[in-house]
Every structure is written in structure tokens, then in C-alpha cells.
Amino acid sequence: MTDRARGPAGLAVAGLLLVAAAAWAAVVGPVSIPLDEVVRLLLGGEAHGGAVDHGAVLWAVRLPRIALGMLVGAALASGGAALQGLFRNPLADPYVLGIASGGGLGAAVVLLLAGQGQVAPGWVPPAAFAGAAVAAFAVHGLAWRAGRLPLAAVLLAGVAVGLIGSAGVSLVLVLAETRAGDIVQWLLGDLGGHGWSAVAAVALAVGPALAVLFAHTRTMDALLLGEDSAAGLGIDVTRAKWWILGAVSLAVGGAVAFCGLIGFVGLIVPHGVRILTGGRHRWLVPISAVAGAAVLVAADTVARTALPDRALPVGVVTGCIGGPFFLYLLRRSLR
Amino acid sequence: MSPPALEARGIAAAYGIAPGLDLAVPQGGITGLVGPNGAGKSTLLGCLAGRLRPTAGEITLFGERLDRRDRRALARTLALMPQEEPRPDGFTVRDVVELGRLPYLGRFGRLSDADREAVHAGMSLAGVEAFAARPIDSLSGGEYQRVRIARALAQEPRVLLLDEPEAHLDLGHRSALMALLARANRRRGLTVVAALHALDVAALYCDRIVLMDRGRIIASGPPAAVLTAERLGAVYGSPVWVEPGPDSRLRLGPVRTESPLEEQT
């Protein structure tokens, strides 16, 4: 394949994977809905009479979950692609900014209080988003100095804020004693139990964030040459960094608020895409978004169907499958 | 008379330029900025490129104040090639050269036919077209420097500033690179200002030399007027010989000494 064709081909393959993952996710579960019926219901057809209302299962349970998986997967993977480029560090993922830990702490506190009956569990998403926002402002405020935003400072502040958030979560876990299990379950990530209003809320954060990231792909390419060279190409480097970091923060905050801390997607997906289609962000970021959506929807489907009697946290699945697959890609690229 | 391509009047900068530096770079020539390590060459280039803001004085580009120019408009007129630059991972030669079109692209930036033509012209002038599809990790240092110049040419600037582009290159690549700058200068009327590491290269390829030491300009003008054995010996603190070559260009080099640097003065 010529180098020019790799981008469009990659996008097409990722799109097909996404369609396949979504179709599979719609079909399987405690109630199996045949694919032809899924298609018929999607096109507005009536459900067949039966013991279970397939239409209700599809529209109220499966589809919101699939949509949420797509949004969160796209947010994490494209955010990871952007940060790996910005920090010029292959180990970067959306969580290095420490924002997710802030979100986790916010959620953990509310889960603790909810367990004691002091607040309603419905406050978890707003608290998680607020925690993420506080962490984001803290990280960027700490790094901002004299009109500049040095990335090394952002990285260090992100790691420090992330550690503080984790320590806070640990404290909450100790205080929660027997209820710690619920909190851990939330922290490991879960796409289930949400309706269309949650999808809308996440879309409100992730949509604009993705638009900003897609609009900055050429800028990200230029930043790979270093800040001096990027500035020489007419880029306002500090402003570009604010836009990119702000977009990633918003996307991560929105994702964490409803779905917890789903690991590995933001690290592995952009890496895999990079190895297969090259380093240009113009293709890397959108392909990562589509591939991330596909991977998370597929991983979530594995998570809820792998064991007969209970669902696994989706973060466990992304780690168990993503880790070895990543090692395989790495091995291939080193050859 | 046309204004100078670049003119600095009474500038000073925190690290490297003593107050009151004046410099005029005429349009269309190759100017070599030479001087010992720490003389202020990179700082001066940074100021001329609009990357560093002088603490005093003003700089004009074709008669227009540099600090009043819009960034993207500036990037269409002037290109700076910094000394060190990371190589972007997973890019081909063409990908890197295409980045030179960034100042011309819209937000979601697709390349137009004019952009592709400029990329093609830059690569062909720099002689990198033959390996346009190669990944840049596979290039030698000399080849990659030419790719960077191709990118700067794709930017279609009127002025090109380079910071020691020939450092770390072997003799063959060094000559190829300087010949490339001379070709761009001749064919496009490009004004070239290069901080040069090697005095002999500067003497061979430059129309004008600006000799700096400790943040000041010691002398400027044609190579024969600036590069004298006495002046270079004093500035570098080590004896230098200078002779006219057969092509009316100067030849120069160090004279072997037995005593260490400190005892020379």
C-alpha cells in the first residue's frame, strides 16, 4: 500500500470495526436479539410479541450503553493520541494530566456518603466532573508561569495532582470499610446502568472536545518539530497548548464522570493506530477516535457477557486484552 | 532604493546582545554570522526571527516593524531553521516538507494544488525528491538537514534564517548544503542569514560576513574586509591564517599552537 493510502484505509477499517462491534454489542446479552431484528427495530419496526420486549431492551439498555462506549472510547483514544504527540512521549495517556484521579476522588467521596445514606447516588457524576475540573485547573494553574505553559511543568503537576487524588481515594476506601467494594467497582470503570440523558451529558463534553482536537491536528504535527519550529510556522504555541490540553481535560472529565476510570484505551489504541498508519495527527487523531470507540464497545461487551452470573469491570477487560495485544504490536514494530 | 530585508536598530537582549546593536541585512545576499561560542549569534537570530523580543530598540522586516506583524503573515515571509529539532516519529520526508505549508492552510487544512506545487518545488530544489517517501528515521544527518531546508523552501519565504545548519555535518554534506543555499539564493532571490559554525565555510559561500564577539558586532562587510588574520586571532584567542584562494574566495584555518587557550591573550 502506498503511504498516501494508509490514512483513508485505516479510517475505513476502523469504521468497519466500529460497526461490527456495535452490532455484536446490540445482539448479545442475557436476552439475545437476532441481528435482523436489531436492524428491523432500528428502522422503526415493531417488536415481535414474546416474553421479553426486545424493542425496550434495545432502546433503553443496549443502545445507550453502546453510545456511551463510543463516546468514552473516542474521547480517551483521541485524547491519548493528542497527548502522546504534545508531550512527545509514547507513555502519555489522558490520565497523565491527573484529571481522572480528581474525578475519581470526587466520585469516591460521594459514593462513601451515599453509602451512609447522606446524599443520593445521582450526585456521583456531577461530583466526579467537579473533581476532574478542580484537578485540571490545579494542574494548569500550577504549571502556568509568566505567560508560558511549559509542558514539563504540566507533566510534573499532572503526576503530582494525580498522586494526591489517588491518596485521597485510598483514604476514602479505608473509611468506607465494607463498602469499599462498590467504590473500587466504580473506579475500575463501568458503562452500564445509564440512560440517554447520561449519553447526552457525555456528548456535551466529548463532542466539542473532539471538534477542537480535530481542528488542531496540523498544529500537533508542527509541535512534533519542537516549539521553536512550530512558532516559526506561524503557530501561537501557548494558545495551541491551552486548546489541546483544555479539550483533553474536558473530554476526560466528561468520560470519567459517568463511566469511571477506564484504563489502557487511551494508551494502547493511539499506539496501535500509530504503528499501523504512521504518525501524522491528521489521520492519527480521527482514526484513534473511531478505533477507540470500537475497542471500548467490544471490550464492554466482553465484560458483560464473559461470566454467566456477573459483569466484569470494563477496565479489567481492556487491560487483560489490550496489554498483550499492545505487546504484540510493539514487538512487530521493533523488528 | 529598496529597504533592507532585515534591519535592527539599537537592540539589546537579556542573554547575549549588548545594548545598542545595529545591523542591516540587504535584500538578496547570503550573510554569514560568525563568532566564538557564546558571541550571541543564536540570540540575534532569534530576535531577527521574531522569536525573542529585544529589551530595547526595534527590528524591521522589509521596512515593517517585526513585532507588529501577524504570526502567520510573518511565517509566510520569513523562515527560521533552529539548530536542534526533534524528528517527528513515523513521518516520511514528504510529510515533513508539507509542514512548511502550514502558514498557508486553513483550520482543517487541506493542501491545495498550489501547496503541492510548493512542496514539490522545495523538495526538488533541495534534492530530496528521490527519497520523498522514505521514513525520516532512515535518513542520515546530512540528508535530514536538506529535508529541513526543503521544508523551509516550501514555506516560500523571502528571508531564510539558519542557526549553524552545517554543524555536525561531514565535508561532503556540508558543501552540498551550502551549495543548496547558494542555489536557493540565486534562483529565488532568497535572502539568507546563517549563523555558521565553520569560518572556512563562511569565507567560501557568503557575500557578507558579520563577525560577533560577546554580544557585539565587531565588523561586517565582504569576507575579505572582515576576515583578517589579526581580527580573527584576537576574537578567537588563537592564531589564524588567511589567504586568497584561486577563485578569489578566502581560504583560512587555525595555526597549530602548543600553548593552551588561556595563555594566548
Side-chain angles (χ1 to χ4, degrees):
Chain A
M1 197 184 322
T2 70
D3 181 65
R4 296 281 104 179
R6 282 163 89 192
L11 195 57
V13 169
L16 286 176
L17 284 176
L18 178 57
V19 170
W24 181 44
V27 167
V28 301
V31 180
S32 177
I33 311 176
L35 190 57
D36 56 341
E37 199 182 348
V38 168
V39 174
R40 204 169 49 72
L41 287 167
L42 281 177
L43 296 175
E46 291 290 311
H48 287 303
V52 186
D53 183 351
H54 283 177
V57 171
L58 185 67
W59 284 105
V61 181
R62 300 256 167 98
L63 288 183
R65 187 164 184 150
I66 291 169
L68 208 53
M70 287 183 182
L71 284 169
V72 172
L76 294 177
S78 57
L83 292 191
Q84 284 169 10
L86 192 63
F87 291 119
R88 265 183 270 124
N89 187 333
L91 286 178
D93 74 359
Y95 297 153
V96 293
L97 294 178
I99 295 160
S101 289
L105 179 57
V109 169
V110 170
L111 284 166
L112 175 69
L113 297 176
Q116 297 163 352
Q118 296 181 29
V119 292
W123 281 100
V124 170
F129 190 78
V134 168
F137 282 112
V139 168
H140 295 110
L142 285 168
W144 177 252
R145 178 132 318 156
R148 285 166 32 85
L149 192 63
L151 288 175
V154 173
L155 206 51
L156 286 173
V159 169
V161 168
L163 287 174
I164 294 169
S166 305
V169 168
S170 300
L171 177 65
V172 171
L173 288 177
V174 170
L175 295 176
E177 294 172 349
T178 57
R179 299 198 148 269
D182 293 347
I183 300 176
V184 170
Q185 177 96 19
W186 187 93
L187 288 174
L188 287 173
D190 187 3
L191 292 167
H194 297 292
W196 287 108
S197 57
V199 174
V202 174
L204 219 54
V206 172
L210 287 182
V212 169
L213 291 182
F214 291 169
H216 280 81
T217 53
R218 291 271 188 200
T219 305
M220 293 176 203
D221 282 350
L223 283 168
L224 290 178
L225 301 171
E227 296 189 8
D228 262 352
S229 296
L233 290 168
I235 289 165
D236 186 337
V237 172
T238 299
R239 218 176 97 180
K241 286 193 280 193
W242 274 115
W243 275 107
I244 295 166
L245 290 169
V248 173
S249 302
L250 181 63
V252 172
V256 167
F258 286 90
C259 306
L261 279 69
I262 300 168
F264 276 92
V265 177
L267 179 68
I268 288 164
V269 172
H271 248 304
V273 173
R274 193 186 299 274
I275 289 170
L276 298 173
T277 70
R280 289 172 304 157
H281 289 93
R282 191 168 160 65
W283 291 108
L284 180 62
V285 175
I287 295 174
S288 291
V290 176
V295 165
L296 193 54
V297 168
D300 180 51
T301 308
V302 172
R304 65 188 168 83
T305 56
L307 297 183
D309 52 339
R310 59 169 302 181
L312 291 168
V314 65
V316 172
V317 176
T318 54
C320 288
I321 298 176
F325 179 66
F326 179 59
L327 288 176
Y328 160 74
L329 285 177
L330 197 64
R331 188 77 200 151
R332 239 190 60 155
S333 74
L334 291 178
R335 202 164 285 160
Chain B
M1 211 185 97
S2 56
L6 273 167
E7 187 171 19
R9 278 189 296 268
I11 63 163
Y15 299 100
I17 298 184
L21 183 138
D22 295 310
L23 172 70
V25 178
Q27 294 190 24
I30 300 185
T31 301
L33 217 49
V34 299
N37 296 337
K41 305 187 292 284
S42 295
T43 308
L44 180 57
L45 275 183
C47 290
L48 294 177
R51 289 290 294 136
L52 299 173
R53 193 175 285 260
T55 50
E58 64 171 37
I59 297 172
T60 57
L61 178 65
F62 296 105
E64 202 183 317
R65 284 267 302 263
L66 203 58
D67 51 0
R68 299 221 179 114
R69 284 215 170 205
D70 163 73
R71 259 169 228 280
R72 278 163 60 88
L74 179 62
R76 292 193 284 258
T77 313
L78 178 147
L80 169 67
M81 203 169 110
Q83 192 175 356
E84 300 279 334
E85 183 182 281
R87 296 191 195 192
D89 210 18
F91 275 52
T92 64
V93 167
R94 185 191 304 276
D95 294 337
V96 170
V97 178
E98 279 181 2
L99 288 177
R101 296 307 291 171
L102 213 67
Y104 298 88
L105 299 182
R107 190 28 103 195
F108 287 89
R110 288 191 69 83
L111 295 175
S112 67
D113 287 345
D115 292 322
R116 287 183 204 292
E117 181 49 40
V119 168
H120 167 79
M123 289 201 294
S124 104
L125 188 53
V128 300
E129 194 134 53
F131 44 93
R134 262 172 66 188
I136 54 168
D137 340 337
S138 71
L139 303 183
S140 74
E143 287 167 332
Y144 190 60
Q145 282 302 71
R146 291 209 327 261
V147 171
R148 292 179 65 200
I149 291 183
R151 186 180 80 222
L153 292 174
Q155 211 173 323
E156 296 186 322
R158 296 173 69 191
V159 178
L160 174 58
L161 307 180
L162 308 101
D163 194 355
E164 304 203 347
E166 93 298 13
H168 313 304
L169 297 188
D170 64 42
L171 187 138
H173 278 117
R174 188 178 273 189
S175 298
L177 182 122
M178 294 309 294
L180 158 58
L181 291 178
R183 202 155 62 229
N185 167 254
R186 207 170 51 242
R187 294 222 192 127
R188 295 194 174 181
L190 183 70
T191 304
V192 178
V193 182
L196 291 171
H197 185 74
L199 277 174
D200 54 334
V201 170
L204 262 184
Y205 287 94
C206 296
D207 310 317
R208 279 180 84 251
I209 300 285
V210 174
L211 176 63
M212 292 186 74
D213 188 25
R214 287 176 235 179
R216 287 173 217 285
I217 292 176
I218 303 296
S220 65
V226 175
L227 301 174
T228 62
E230 302 75 45
R231 195 179 275 139
L232 292 175
V235 164
Y236 284 88
S238 183
V240 175
W241 63 261
V242 182
E243 274 176 11
D247 51 1
S248 81
R249 295 276 181 177
L250 293 179
R251 298 290 185 279
L252 52 77
V255 175
R256 186 191 158 112
T257 62
E258 298 297 333
S259 47
L261 197 65
E262 302 87 68
E263 293 175 22
Q264 284 296 313
T265 48

